[in-house]
């Protein structure tokens, strides 16, 4: 369980924001901030306990972050690690991402409006569901010289599409495994992601 607790001292009260990854779930469906954790989840229990501690004097909130990217953290560099071979790529479904700039904006928004945030759990993504097959076929693996070396990924994806009868990319949620819906955070705090697409 990896929870990061961020304390920011306000003028009169201490506030706690927990930044964590969204829970991993194997079902093929949409999940939002109201989707319950599995009963056996230590992580869900820890987050629920933190949220019950929220008071007007000491508000708490949980922000479940999707895959963090930006700066040196480029999702392009993850392809060789997550798909070292065709069978590994076959088992990859969705990936959800959020840029560090948008995480910072979200934390500031929460701390700027505790009446909306206190005692709440949020999911934070850039609003997109990415497909690993789509990304791997487009990006391939980076070359050591800084250029793009596509490697076998585009070929593997074409073969997988044929084997699995996938007509086009990105695949739909039935293939991807899970999809995270973070609209409520952005709507509640009147924001939109600035980095709303991988670059």
């Amino acid at each position: 369980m990896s929870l990061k607790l961020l304390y920011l001292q306000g003028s009169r009260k201490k506030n706690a924001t927990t930044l964590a990854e969204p829970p991993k779930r194997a079902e093929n469906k949409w999940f939002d901030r109201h989707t319950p954790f599995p009963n056996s989840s230590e992580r869900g229990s820890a987050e629920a306990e933190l949220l019950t501690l929220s008071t007007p004097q000491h508000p708490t909130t949980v922000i479940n972050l999707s895959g963090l990217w930006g700066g040196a953290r480029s999702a392009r560099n993850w392809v060789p690690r997550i798909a070292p071979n065709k069978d590994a790529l076959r088992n990859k479904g969705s990936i959800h991402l959020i840029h560090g700039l948008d995480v910072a904006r979200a934390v500031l928004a929460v701390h700027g409006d505790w009446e909306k945030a206190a005692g709440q759990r949020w999911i934070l993504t850039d609003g997109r569901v990415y497909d690993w097959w789509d990304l791997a076929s487009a990006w391939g693996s980076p070359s050591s010289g800084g250029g793009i070396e596509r490697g076998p990924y585009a070929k593997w994806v074409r073969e997988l599409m044929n084997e699995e009868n996938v007509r086009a990319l990105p695949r739909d949620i039935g293939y991807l495994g899970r999809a995270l819906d973070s609209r409520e955070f952005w709507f509640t705090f009147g924001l939109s992601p600035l980095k709303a697409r991988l670059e």
Side-chain angles (χ1 to χ4, degrees), residues 7-181:
Y7 285 100
L8 294 180
Q9 177 106 22
S11 57
R12 288 174 291 184
K13 56 186 173 184
K14 292 183 181 176
N15 311 313
T17 301
T18 298
L19 303 177
E21 294 177 8
K24 303 289 188 259
R25 299 175 171 104
E27 301 168 66
N28 295 351
K29 68 176 199 174
W30 285 92
F31 296 90
D32 64 20
R33 72 188 203 97
H34 303 288
T35 305
F37 279 87
N39 291 336
S40 61
S41 169
E42 284 184 43
R43 164 72 186 288
S45 298
E47 288 186 14
E49 183 178 347
L50 177 70
L51 293 176
T52 62
L53 298 174
S54 188
T55 66
Q57 295 77 28
H58 303 287
T60 64
T61 195
V62 173
I63 303 174
N64 292 135
L65 303 179
S66 55
L68 182 62
W69 75 280
R73 291 183 57 92
S74 171
R76 289 176 189 257
N77 297 330
W78 304 339
V79 174
R81 272 198 331 241
I82 67 98
N85 57 56
K86 181 178 162 183
D87 283 333
L89 184 57
R90 176 188 313 276
N91 296 320
K92 291 300 175 189
S94 64
I95 178 172
H96 303 82
L97 299 166
I98 187 72
H99 193 278
L101 174 66
D102 288 318
V103 172
R105 292 174 64 236
V107 170
L108 291 173
V110 162
H111 285 270
D113 197 343
W114 275 106
E115 287 184 14
K116 293 177 182 173
Q120 302 297 313
R121 178 172 65 100
W122 306 95
I123 291 178
L124 196 63
T125 76
D126 64 6
R128 287 169 169 69
V129 180
Y130 298 97
D131 178 349
W132 269 119
W133 289 13
D134 193 20
L135 299 178
S137 69
W139 292 341
S141 58
S143 71
S144 57
I148 296 290
E149 179 182 310
R150 299 278 306 261
Y153 298 102
K155 178 179 182 279
W156 289 350
V157 169
R158 281 193 319 276
E159 291 171 358
L160 290 169
M161 289 174 69
N162 190 49
E163 292 166 16
E164 304 290 331
N165 197 27
V166 173
R167 294 179 180 212
L169 298 175
R171 295 168 290 170
D172 67 30
I173 188 60
Y175 288 99
L176 294 179
R178 72 173 177 153
L180 302 177
D181 178 354

